[in-house]
Amino acid sequence: MTSDPALTFGVELEFLVTTRKEHENNQETYEAIAELFLRNLANPLPCACVHGKWSKYRGTAYRYPDGMPLDKTEWKNYYCISGDGSVVDGTKEKAQRDAEGEIAVGLEISTRALGFDDRGCSEFSATFAAIKDGGSLKNTKIADRFEPQPTQTAGLHVHIGVEDGLDLETAKKAAILGWLLEPCLFSLCNHDRGMTLSNAPIRKYSRLAQTKFDITESEGISVVDGTPDGNGVSKESHSGIHKYQDVEVSKDQDLKIRQGEGGTKDEQPSDSQGTHEEKSIFDDENVQPSEDKMILESCQKESTSTCEGSGTTEDKVELTVPLPVQEDDTSDGLPKEFSSKEKTWISAIFGTRDMGELAELLSGTNVNFMNRRLALAVYNRENDQSTIEFRHFQSTTDENLAWKWVRISAAFVRAASRPVSEYREKLHLIAVEYRLMKSKWKEHIQDRTFQRETMDPWLDSWKWMLLVLDLEDDIPFWDDYVAKLTERNRTT
């Protein structure tokens, strides 16, 4: 059996801190926290401050404490401290601080790239404790103490890479698993995750989700292993063997996500499934999601029910994706339990020709913002280390919870790097669970219709996801964890 590649990981932890008004998001604030962070460590680690950071696109970074400027390719080698306004915007914590004459500041501390091994785990534990412990600041003009506090909008983002470089095939296979298992991932999060643009489900709001496919006859490779089909077409020539449909996606969708009006938070089958249409993922026309769902709002006055933009021709961009073989259940290399739509989506991901195209397919359609990454993203860095980014999880000061999320994220990339036969088996296991979920979902809808006590079956889907990812040893931990999520576990 081929050994697994050495993986790397990095974590971005967002939280709120309190400062005095004159020190809102300035360099002195970041430097004061960097000083405390290093003071809390038993062994020093490379640290940097990033001023004016916005996603991966801009920001001025310098080493702390010597002030040496850093190129963006060097950021991954440092613990970076930066501001993040999205952590506090519109939160009750901000309103409370304002009333007290103080300022709630959103901050992010990113770890350096660590090896997914005992050494990396040990360093992550030490640095997490240094952040969580906080303490008194030497510069008391900024604040008396540094006390990190998670908020409803704060997240914990996990980046998983490969030590020798993340290749395109592994990235595509990881993205397919991320697409298929997205509802399971959200079932381990707070009930409000996925409600904001920065962690919105790719199954609803990505370019792929909003693409209308016209399934046509096509000749192509297996979307699983790239082997030649009956016509002897090789993997290398796949870009020319499909019939394509040009899909126009509006440039000017000012995306916002809010909860639907009416209904209760537990009534969210559409949310927990991560679908993008007024149907279940199984294309069953008799199964309708509840009214309490995520709604994509557009600044444009005209839009269709499938979230397509309605801009003019010059306001649109074209997205071209290959379509899968549809003659029978097995010619495309996918399990027969998958619906034709699932096969189409999977084939579109596998058919991307480079890392940039893959990242674009999974991103949101709003080009008015520099950061269009959703819950799952390909962090494509030219001439640098690319990673798969998992943005589903909420911020936490619980080190064990944070590490368990890192383990799940790494399991996706590990599974994607396995030989074709093993990867195909993972897809088969998921397909079988999908088929079982169809009957469970129908029963759930029927019980709800007749006002019988019931719970969205997708909320327990994390259990079979862990089995698929070979993380069955973690089930007891997650059993205890989800039992405490009262909002998530409400029944109707």
Side-chain angles (χ1 to χ4, degrees), residues 7-10 116 158-162 166 386-390 405-414:
L7 301 181
T8 63
F9 76 97
F116 188 70
V158 181
H159 289 257
I160 303 295
V162 178
L166 179 68
S386 295
T387 59
I388 304 295
E389 183 182 13
F390 296 79
W405 274 327
V406 172
R407 279 175 53 82
I408 288 177
S409 303
F412 274 77
V413 180
R414 184 190 298 113

Side-chain angles (χ1 to χ4, degrees), residues 320-472:
T320 304
V321 291
L323 302 176
V325 178
Q326 295 293 332
E327 283 82 14
D328 55 54
D329 290 328
T330 59
S331 62
D332 52 16
L334 293 172
K336 62 183 180 181
E337 289 86 358
F338 282 134
S339 69
S340 59
K341 275 193 175 179
E342 289 294 343
K343 291 184 178 184
T344 300
W345 287 324
I346 293 171
S347 181
I349 294 172
F350 203 86
T352 51
R353 293 159 290 189
D354 54 54
M355 207 74 86
E357 187 177 324
L358 177 60
E360 186 74 9
L361 197 64
L362 299 178
S363 67
T365 59
N366 189 357
V367 297
N368 288 335
F369 293 98
M370 299 181 81
N371 186 1
R372 294 183 289 116
R373 285 175 288 167
L374 302 174
L376 182 76
V378 175
Y379 197 85
N380 181 35
R381 302 184 68 173
E382 294 182 7
N383 303 317
D384 200 4
Q385 188 178 38
S386 295
T387 59
I388 304 295
E389 183 182 13
F390 296 79
R391 303 165 61 87
H392 312 73
F393 318 121
Q394 67 267 15
S395 182
T396 182
T397 54
D398 184 335
E399 177 195 332
N400 201 17
L401 175 61
W403 179 246
K404 294 296 185 184
W405 274 327
V406 172
R407 279 175 53 82
I408 288 177
S409 303
F412 274 77
V413 180
R414 184 190 298 113
S417 67
R418 295 277 171 82
V420 170
S421 59
E422 294 184 44
Y423 182 75
R424 183 183 283 115
E425 178 60 25
K426 299 296 184 187
L427 294 185
H428 177 72
L429 292 172
I430 296 171
V432 169
E433 291 295 341
Y434 266 34
R435 184 57 59 185
L436 293 174
M437 288 300 295
K438 180 176 182 178
S439 60
K440 292 179 182 179
W441 180 252
K442 285 183 176 180
E443 184 177 344
H444 169 63
I445 293 298
Q446 187 177 35
D447 286 342
R448 202 169 61 180
T449 300
F450 290 98
Q451 299 183 336
R452 293 191 289 258
E453 187 173 278
T454 183
M455 188 176 77
D456 183 347
W458 280 98
L459 292 178
D460 282 332
S461 61
W462 61 268
K463 293 182 179 179
W464 57 261
M465 175 186 72
L466 294 184
L467 294 174
V468 169
L469 297 176
D470 301 318
L471 294 176
E472 55 270 19

Side-chain angles (χ1 to χ4, degrees), residues 178-291:
W179 177 277
L180 294 172
L181 295 176
E182 181 172 81
C184 311
L185 279 170
F186 275 119
S187 76
L188 285 176
C189 300
N190 284 352
H191 71 286
D192 52 15
R193 293 303 289 176
M195 295 291 186
T196 58
L197 183 60
S198 63
N199 51 73
I202 58 173
R203 290 183 67 102
K204 284 188 174 184
Y205 301 120
S206 65
R207 284 177 170 256
L208 176 57
Q210 296 183 48
T211 298
K212 290 193 72 175
F213 291 95
D214 181 18
I215 307 297
T216 59
E217 223 178 284
S218 61
E219 300 170 347
I221 58 169
S222 163
V223 299
V224 175
D225 59 7
T227 55
D229 62 8
N231 296 319
V233 182
S234 68
K235 179 175 181 178
E236 288 71 23
S237 61
H238 80 274
S239 60
I241 60 178
H242 291 286
K243 290 187 178 179
Y244 291 79
Q245 179 192 13
D246 291 335
V247 181
E248 295 180 333
V249 183
S250 172
K251 279 186 177 182
D252 296 320
Q253 288 180 338
D254 185 9
L255 308 188
K256 297 177 183 178
I257 300 176
R258 62 176 174 82
Q259 272 192 287
E261 298 176 0
T264 57
K265 288 178 181 175
D266 56 295
E267 295 179 335
Q268 49 183 344
S270 179
D271 291 344
S272 56
Q273 290 180 51
T275 58
H276 70 283
E277 296 184 304
E278 297 294 316
K279 295 183 181 181
S280 77
I281 59 175
F282 306 106
D283 298 328
D284 190 327
E285 296 180 355
N286 297 319
V287 181
Q288 296 293 327
S290 71
E291 293 180 356

